Amino acid sequence: MNNLALSDRILMSVDKPARYIGNEVNMVRKNPEDVEIRFAMCFPDVYEIGMSHLGIQILYDMFNQRDDVYCERVYSPWSDLHKIMKEEQIPLFTLETQSPVCDMDFLGITIQYEMCYTNILQILDLSHIPMLAQERTDDDPIVIGGGPCTYNPEPLADFFDLFYIGEGETMYDTLFDLYISMKKQGGTRKEFLRAVCKLPGIYVPSLYEVSYQEDGTIASFTPKYEDVPPTICKEVQMDLTDTFYPRKPLVPYIKATQDRVVLEIQRGCIRGCRFCQAGMIYRPTRERDVEMLKECARDMLESTGHEEISLSSLSSSDYSKLKELMNYLINFREKGVNISLPSLRIDAFSLDVMSKVQDIRKSSLTFAPEAGSQRLRDVINKGLTEDVILEGAGLAFAGGWQKVKLYFMLGLPTETEEDMKEIPRLADRIARRYYEIPKEQRSGKCQITISTSFFVPKPFTPFQWASMHPKEEYLARARVVNEEMKEQLNRKSLKYNWHEADVTVLEGVFARGDRRVGQVLQRAYEKGCMFDAWSEFFDNKKWMEAFQECGISIKFYNQRERGLDEILPWDFIDCGVSKSFLKREWQHALKGEVTPNCKIQCNGCGAAKFEGGVCLEHQN
Amino acid sequence: MNIRIKFGKYGVMRFVGHLDVMRYFQKAMRRANIDIAYSEGYSPHQIMSFAAPLGVGVTSDGEYFDIEVNTSSSSQEAMEALNKVMVEGISILEYKQLPDTAKTSMSLVAAADYLVCPKPGCRPFAETLLELQEKVHAFYEGQSEICITKQTKKREIQMDLKPLIYQMKASGKDGNPSLFLRVSTGSNDNVKPELVLEAFCHFHGISYDALAFQVHRLEVYAKADEIPVKGEKERKAYEAFLVKQRQSYQKEGKEFPQFLPLGELGWDIK
C-alpha cells in the first residue's frame, strides 16, 4: 500500500501529512474488487476532529462487517492542502485505498454542527461531485447525510440526495441490500431514490415540494408523488446491548481530540432540559448492559493500546450501574490506563472516584447551571438548584479542590438583567463557600471560571419557537455579566470568558432555516468560507455579503417568535417527541414551571411509542 | 530490566513524525502486553526513550529506543508479540536486554549511516556508478575542508563539515547510483544528511532540491570506546567485555570498529 494519492512533494509541503496517509492501527483492508458497495464515510472537519467521533467508528465497523461493503474514510483537507488540490485539480480521496471519492457508490457525510456546512460543500467540490443534487448523474456517488443536524436537513436539502434520520444501526443493511439489487438490475440513480424513500427514516429532499406564504413562512410541504411518505419517523436502535459496537476502533497517529477509548454507556437523557436538542431527539433514554460495557472496555483497551478511557453519555450520573462500571474501570489504573470522567453530578461518590483518578490540585470541577437565577433555571427546566451546587462545591473544597468551572448560557428566553447579574453572584457565593474553610486548612485562593455561550434555539426543543437577538444584544449581555463580576467581593477569584456573537447568529439561521438558506451556504463557500468553526478562518464579512447578495434576511430566521401554528421546516420529521408536548413545555417554560424527569414521572412526550428504555420502567 | 528495541520504518510511515511515532509505540506496548514500567504519580507514563529522532519523509532500518520492563518474555516471543500489533511500515528488528546501569541510547548516539537515492523521476546524481565515485572523490577526499553556512534560529554560523563526515562513497548501480554517508549524529555535532547533500550538490553545480531524494537511515551507532554503563562495577565488567570483543575481532583478522551499532550493546533474552 505504497500508492498514496498525494505526491511526496505535496505531503512534505503540508502541515501534518499523517492526516492523509491512512494505514492507522485497526484500519480495515479489503480488495475493492471484491465488494458490491464502496462507501466513503466523511466527517467534514479536519482529521483530528473527525477521528474523534464515535458515530463514524460505530458505522465503519458495522458496514465493514459486511463482506459486500467496503467503508473507507475521508476528512476535510486542511486549508494548505485544499489550496494545492484546487490548483492541481487533485480529486479528494479516501484514506484506506487512496481512491477518488467520486468513484464510490456512496458518500456518507455526518452532520454534527451547523458551522461545518461550508466544509460539506468543500468535500463535494474537491471530490469533483456536483454540489447540487439535481445536477448529479448516474456516475456520481449517492450523497447521504446523517447525524443530529439532519433533524432539520432543509438548509442542506439541495446538496444531498438523501438523509438518514435517526440512529444508523437499524436501516443501513436494508438500504445496502436495496442498492445492490437495483444495481444488479441496472437501476438508475433516480429509480434508486424513488425506491429508497420508502424505507423508514429515509428522506429524499428532491421528492418534496415546499411553497411559501407572502410573509415568508411555509405554506405547504408536500411529497411530489403519492407513494412518497409525508412524514419521516426517525430510526432508533432500541436494544443498545445486542447491537454493533466497535471492539477494534481506529487509532490515529497524530493526536486526535479524543485520543482515548470512548465508551457510550447510554443514549438519551431523562432530564428534559428545554434548550437541549439531544435530550429530545434521542428519546427514549436507553442504557447499555453493564456487562457488555465491561467487555467492550476491556476489548477496546486491548485492541487500541489507548492510555485513557472516557465514558460518553448526556448525563452519566443517571446511568443505573455507574458505580459498578467505575469500580471495574478503576482496575485498569494498574495498567497505566487513565479514566477521564465525563460531567458527573458532583456528590460524595463522584468526588471519591475523581480523587482516585485525578490530581486534585490540578483538576477542576465542572458545574453547568446554564442560568444564573433559580427563576431562569426553572424556565429551562434545569433541575440543578443553588443548594446542590453550593453543597457539591463545599464537599469538593473540603476534599482539596480549588478550581471550579461554571457554564452558563446568555440569551435564554425570558432572560432579564437580574438573571444575567445572578451569574457572577452565584460564582461569588461559591467562592465564599471556599473562604469559609479555615485559612490553615486551605491552600491559597480558589479559582472560579465562568464561561458563557449564547443560546441558539434548536428544532425539536420546547424553545424551537423562541426569538433570538441581534449580535449587539448578545455582547451587551456579556458586558452586564462582566460589570457585575467586578462588583463581587471575591472578584479576584473569579474569571469570565465569553465568545464573539457572529457565529451564534449564523448557527441560529442554519439551525432553524428552510431550503432557501442553502443558497447562502453556496455563496459563502464560493467566497472562500470554510472551517467556520475555527476562529482563525471564520470571516463574518463574507457571510454577511453572502446573505445580502442572496437577499436572505437574518432577521426573518432569528429575530421572530414563531407562531405555534406555523409550519416549521422540520415538521415533516417525527422524532418521537410530539409537537403538542413541545408546545406544552414551551407554555410551562414561559410560566417558569418545571417538569419532572422521566424516571420520576412520564410526561407523555410521545417517545413511549418506541416501547422501550426508560418509558417501559413506568409500566407498573 | 532495560530493553533496547530496534525497528524499521518504511512506506507511508515515513510521513509520521517523531512525536507521533513515540505515541504509537506507547500504545503498541499495551497492545502487545509488554510489561513495561511506569513512572510514579497521578499521570504515570511509560519509561521509554528514543535514540535519535528521524525526520519526516526519511525511512530507516536502524531506529532504536529503550524501555524499562518489570518482566520480560524471551526476545523472540517479545518481538513476535510486538510485530503482531505493528502497522504496515513499522517492523521490530531486535529486542535486547541491556545491563541494569545502561546509559540511554539517546546519550550514546554518535554516528548514523544513510543511503541517499534520487527519487524516481528526479535527476540522478550521476549516470554511472563510476561517475558518482569520481564526484564523491572530488568532493570528499579532494577537499581539505568542507565549509558550509548553517542557519540557526538566531544567526548564521560557518562550520567545517569534513571532520563530521566519517564516510562518504558511491554505491548502487549504474543508471541511478546512490550515496552512502556516515555522519556524526547526536546531541553534539548533529549532521543531517541533507546538509551534506546540499554541499555536495553545490560543489558540483547541481541544483539542490530537498524533495528530490529519498533519505534512508541504515544504522545508528555509539562510539565503540565509550563505556555505555554507569557504576564502577559495571564499567569494569564492560571493559572486560570490550577486551574480549577486540580479541574476537582480532581472531577473525578484522579491525575493531570505531563505532558499534546501538543494538550490539545488548543481548538476546533466551
Side-chain angles (χ1 to χ4, degrees):
Chain A
M1 227 277 309
N2 253 337
N3 296 328
L4 294 172
L6 301 171
S7 66
D8 281 22
R9 195 170 289 277
I10 293 174
L11 284 165
M12 292 299 287
S13 70
V14 298
D15 191 29
K16 298 189 186 164
R19 283 168 174 160
Y20 311 110
I21 61 171
N23 194 45
E24 300 95 329
V25 173
N26 296 331
M27 185 184 93
V28 175
R29 290 169 198 277
K30 289 187 186 184
N31 184 350
E33 308 279 312
D34 297 343
V35 301
E36 298 284 349
I37 292 179
R38 296 190 71 184
F39 195 109
M41 179 69 84
C42 170
F43 191 108
D45 207 321
V46 74
Y47 178 86
E48 297 92 299
I49 306 277
M51 277 298 277
S52 305
H53 186 247
L54 175 67
I56 283 193
Q57 297 256 14
I58 293 177
L59 294 181
Y60 181 78
D61 174 68
M62 176 182 136
F63 290 1
N64 280 321
Q65 283 188 26
R66 283 181 68 127
D67 289 336
D68 51 1
V69 176
Y70 190 10
C71 177
E72 307 183 45
R73 293 159 299 137
V74 59
Y75 302 99
S76 307
W78 194 238
S79 61
D80 52 357
L81 180 60
H82 173 89
K83 203 167 157 262
I84 296 170
M85 291 177 80
K86 286 290 274 184
E87 280 168 6
E88 303 189 16
Q89 285 283 308
I90 300 167
L92 186 60
F93 52 90
T94 60
L95 295 184
E96 275 73 5
T97 60
Q98 305 271 310
S99 318
V101 172
C102 55
D103 289 351
M104 303 285 135
D105 295 283
F106 289 97
L107 167 60
I109 302 178
T110 179
I111 317 169
Q112 296 288 322
Y113 35 88
E114 291 82 10
M115 299 318 284
C116 75
Y117 286 4
T118 51
N119 282 38
I120 295 174
L121 302 187
Q122 178 212 16
I123 295 284
L124 295 171
D125 181 23
L126 293 182
S127 299
H128 303 170
I129 297 172
M131 241 179 244
L132 296 173
Q134 61 177 31
E135 290 172 11
R136 291 179 201 144
T137 68
D138 288 347
D139 295 334
D140 294 306
I142 307 271
V143 183
I144 308 187
C149 289
T150 62
Y151 283 87
N152 176 22
E154 290 301 88
L156 295 167
D158 293 343
F159 312 113
F160 281 84
D161 296 299
L162 64 99
F163 292 97
Y164 181 118
I165 293 162
E167 297 170 8
E169 286 98 335
T170 53
M171 201 46 65
Y172 270 111
D173 264 335
T174 318
L175 187 147
F176 289 153
D177 290 340
L178 176 71
Y179 180 82
I180 292 169
S181 79
M182 291 192 71
K183 189 169 143 183
K184 282 185 177 155
Q185 289 160 24
T188 64
R189 171 188 208 86
K190 256 198 169 144
E191 285 161 353
F192 174 69
L193 292 176
R194 260 318 238 116
V196 78
C197 81
K198 289 170 200 153
L199 294 188
I202 304 298
Y203 168 52
V204 178
S206 59
L207 299 178
Y208 298 78
E209 205 143 32
V210 195
S211 66
Y212 301 92
Q213 322 235 28
E214 245 171 63
D215 66 1
T217 58
I218 295 174
S220 68
F221 181 97
T222 43
K224 286 181 184 166
Y225 309 97
E226 256 184 23
D227 59 342
V228 175
T231 56
I232 316 284
C233 185
K234 76 160 182 201
E235 277 301 290
V236 51
Q237 173 64 42
M238 290 309 295
D239 183 348
L240 283 180
T241 300
D242 185 19
T243 183
F244 300 94
Y245 203 85
R247 304 297 171 111
K248 291 182 171 183
L250 289 146
V251 186
Y253 298 112
I254 51 177
K255 203 170 160 64
T257 318
Q258 281 271 21
D259 180 33
R260 52 184 73 87
V261 166
V262 180
L263 194 61
E264 188 197 38
I265 57 176
Q266 60 187 354
R267 266 183 214 164
C269 177
I270 57 167
R271 301 271 146 191
C273 297
R274 292 178 179 132
F275 56 83
C276 178
Q277 188 189 40
M280 298 290 160
I281 61 177
Y282 296 122
R283 287 183 177 213
T285 305
R286 290 144 290 149
E287 296 192 347
R288 289 188 202 271
D289 178 73
V290 71
E291 294 305 323
M292 176 242 189
L293 291 175
K294 288 180 192 172
E295 214 179 276
C296 285
R298 195 194 55 221
D299 289 356
M300 288 192 292
L301 285 169
E302 261 172 30
S303 69
T304 60
H306 277 311
E307 42 277 298
E308 193 164 288
I309 181 164
S310 170
L311 304 188
S312 159
S313 85
L314 292 166
S315 170
S316 297
S317 294
D318 293 328
Y319 180 65
S320 61
K321 302 273 173 54
L322 184 67
K323 258 186 207 178
E324 188 182 339
L325 184 61
M326 291 305 294
N327 286 334
Y328 175 78
L329 294 179
I330 277 180
N331 295 329
F332 287 99
R333 294 276 297 166
E334 287 165 20
K335 294 182 180 171
V337 174
N338 195 18
I339 302 166
S340 131
L341 291 169
S343 42
L344 290 177
R345 200 160 44 232
I346 306 299
D347 56 21
F349 167 68
S350 60
L351 288 173
D352 179 50
V353 171
M354 279 189 249
S355 66
K356 284 181 191 150
V357 301
Q358 297 172 343
D359 185 345
I360 293 176
R361 284 160 308 160
K362 286 182 196 149
S363 67
S364 58
L365 290 175
T366 306
F367 292 96
E370 307 294 357
S373 71
Q374 194 57 49
R375 185 201 76 79
L376 194 53
R377 281 196 295 273
D378 289 346
V379 167
I380 63 176
N381 205 40
K382 182 88 195 183
L384 199 58
T385 63
E386 181 159 331
D387 282 348
V388 170
I389 297 171
L390 289 178
E391 207 167 293
L395 267 176
F397 292 147
W401 272 273
Q402 284 159 273
K403 292 182 193 164
V404 175
K405 281 189 204 156
L406 298 172
Y407 290 101
F408 297 94
M409 279 187 282
L410 283 172
L412 286 161
T414 79
E415 185 181 55
T416 64
E417 195 165 313
E418 196 54 24
D419 295 322
M420 302 167 209
K421 288 183 174 168
E422 276 299 309
I423 291 174
R425 289 176 193 157
L426 173 62
D428 185 63
R429 288 193 286 274
I430 294 172
R432 285 179 195 218
R433 189 65 179 248
Y434 178 80
Y435 293 109
E436 279 168 15
I437 299 172
K439 216 171 188 170
E440 56 283 0
Q441 285 170 36
R442 57 177 206 240
S443 52
K445 276 174 28 177
C446 67
Q447 212 183 92
I448 319 277
T449 310
I450 307 167
S451 299
T452 61
S453 59
F454 300 118
F455 168 64
V456 176
K458 294 285 169 98
F460 294 111
T461 65
F463 291 164
Q464 65 178 356
W465 291 280
S467 168
M468 287 179 68
H469 303 286
K471 157 187 165 183
E472 297 73 24
E473 174 61 25
Y474 287 115
L475 297 176
R477 289 182 187 214
R479 274 196 300 276
V480 170
V481 175
N482 202 31
E483 290 305 310
E484 183 65 15
M485 192 184 72
K486 292 180 191 156
E487 303 297 316
Q488 301 305 309
L489 176 69
N490 296 302
R491 58 188 170 273
K492 287 190 176 153
S493 301
L494 309 185
K495 204 180 150 221
Y496 177 40
N497 301 319
W498 73 92
H499 300 285
E500 278 301 311
D502 295 323
V503 167
T504 306
V505 169
L506 291 181
E507 282 173 343
V509 172
F510 295 110
R512 293 191 295 170
D514 51 37
R515 286 192 180 189
R516 291 168 296 183
V517 302
Q519 54 182 314
V520 181
L521 287 173
Q522 198 175 350
R523 185 63 63 95
Y525 176 70
E526 283 160 9
K527 287 177 173 290
C529 291
M530 225 171 49
F531 288 106
D532 296 301
W534 299 74
S535 55
E536 67 260 49
F537 292 110
F538 180 71
D539 187 342
N540 197 51
K541 201 173 140 259
K542 283 184 185 148
W543 274 103
M544 293 305 116
E545 286 168 12
F547 273 99
Q548 190 136 40
E549 286 163 23
C550 295
I552 298 287
S553 153
I554 291 178
K555 244 178 157 173
F556 173 79
Y557 292 100
N558 283 0
Q559 294 165 51
R560 180 172 73 84
E561 187 173 315
R562 285 149 169 81
L564 290 178
D565 300 326
E566 184 176 328
I567 297 176
L568 302 171
W570 53 91
D571 273 354
F572 70 97
I573 294 172
D574 174 4
C575 79
V577 173
S578 68
K579 199 166 181 184
S580 59
F581 171 76
L582 295 176
K583 280 182 190 166
R584 219 154 61 222
E585 281 293 288
W586 178 223
Q587 312 285 359
H588 284 317
L590 296 176
K591 284 184 249 165
E593 292 168 0
V594 299
T595 298
N597 76 49
C598 301
K599 278 194 177 155
I600 295 175
Q601 162 193 321
C602 175
N603 302 293
C605 72
K609 74 173 181 184
F610 296 117
E611 297 178 341
V614 70
C615 303
L616 283 193
E617 290 164 28
H618 286 285
Q619 283 198 338
N620 39 3
Chain B
M1 189 192 288
N2 293 320
I3 304 288
R4 180 159 296 157
I5 294 174
K6 182 181 187 182
F7 68 97
K9 187 181 176 203
Y10 52 91
V12 304
M13 291 305 289
R14 68 190 184 279
F15 295 109
V16 177
H18 177 64
L19 290 174
D20 293 331
V21 168
M22 289 167 63
R23 285 171 10 86
Y24 165 84
F25 273 112
Q26 286 163 9
K27 293 183 199 290
M29 291 298 135
R30 287 202 188 80
R31 289 198 299 273
N33 263 317
I34 301 292
D35 186 14
I36 192 165
Y38 285 85
S39 66
E40 301 289 314
Y42 262 101
S43 42
H45 57 267
Q46 296 176 351
I47 300 177
M48 177 185 281
S49 72
F50 279 70
L54 191 70
V56 174
V58 182
T59 54
S60 176
D61 280 321
E63 294 305 290
Y64 290 97
F65 64 97
D66 300 342
I67 59 171
E68 192 184 314
V69 296
N70 301 312
T71 58
S72 179
S73 50
S74 73
S75 290
Q76 200 193 336
E77 285 164 331
M79 276 174 61
E80 275 167 17
L82 281 165
N83 274 323
K84 231 169 122 181
V85 301
M86 289 297 114
V87 294
E88 193 176 314
I90 292 196
S91 48
I92 305 295
L93 306 170
E94 288 176 8
Y95 178 100
K96 288 185 172 176
Q97 189 179 348
L98 296 173
D100 287 345
T101 60
K103 293 180 186 170
T104 62
S105 51
M106 194 198 293
S107 66
L108 292 173
V109 173
D113 288 350
Y114 294 93
L115 200 60
V116 184
C117 187
K119 285 181 185 169
C122 296
R123 204 185 127 179
F125 290 124
E127 290 304 320
T128 63
L129 183 62
L130 189 70
E131 186 194 336
L132 186 56
Q133 275 165 352
E134 280 163 5
K135 277 184 171 169
V136 169
H137 188 82
F139 171 74
Y140 187 53
E141 280 87 11
Q143 297 189 92
S144 60
E145 51 179 31
I146 302 173
C147 277
I148 59 147
T149 317
K150 198 175 167 182
Q151 187 74 43
T152 69
K153 271 173 197 151
K154 283 178 196 150
R155 60 201 166 93
E156 283 183 349
I157 43 170
Q158 299 282 330
M159 64 182 286
D160 179 12
L161 271 183
K162 177 122 194 212
L164 305 177
I165 305 172
Y166 302 134
Q167 282 184 40
M168 182 166 185
K169 54 192 184 197
S171 79
K173 291 188 290 254
D174 287 349
N176 191 11
S178 38
L179 277 175
F180 172 88
L181 284 170
R182 176 171 296 177
V183 289
S184 170
T185 306
S187 40
N188 305 316
D189 297 326
N190 190 52
V191 175
K192 286 189 175 181
E194 290 85 352
L195 212 57
V196 182
L197 270 178
E198 194 178 350
F200 177 75
C201 288
H202 186 74
F203 179 80
H204 285 294
I206 308 170
S207 69
Y208 173 73
D209 174 1
L211 291 170
F213 314 103
Q214 181 59 50
V215 179
H216 179 72
R217 182 136 84 185
L218 293 162
E219 185 58 89
V220 176
Y221 300 93
K223 278 202 175 96
D225 55 8
E226 169 153 8
I227 307 292
V229 285
K230 292 173 274 189
E232 200 47 44
K233 223 170 81 193
E234 290 80 1
R235 262 184 93 91
K236 289 223 170 90
Y238 187 78
E239 278 163 2
F241 165 76
L242 263 186
V243 171
K244 257 197 195 157
Q245 284 286 95
R246 279 179 203 278
Q247 284 167 352
S248 78
Y249 272 88
Q250 255 172 3
K251 225 184 254 171
E252 290 174 36
K254 287 194 287 190
E255 201 183 324
F256 189 67
Q258 192 188 353
F259 297 105
L260 286 175
L262 285 175
E264 280 192 25
L265 304 169
W267 59 90
D268 279 332
I269 307 169
K270 297 289 182 208

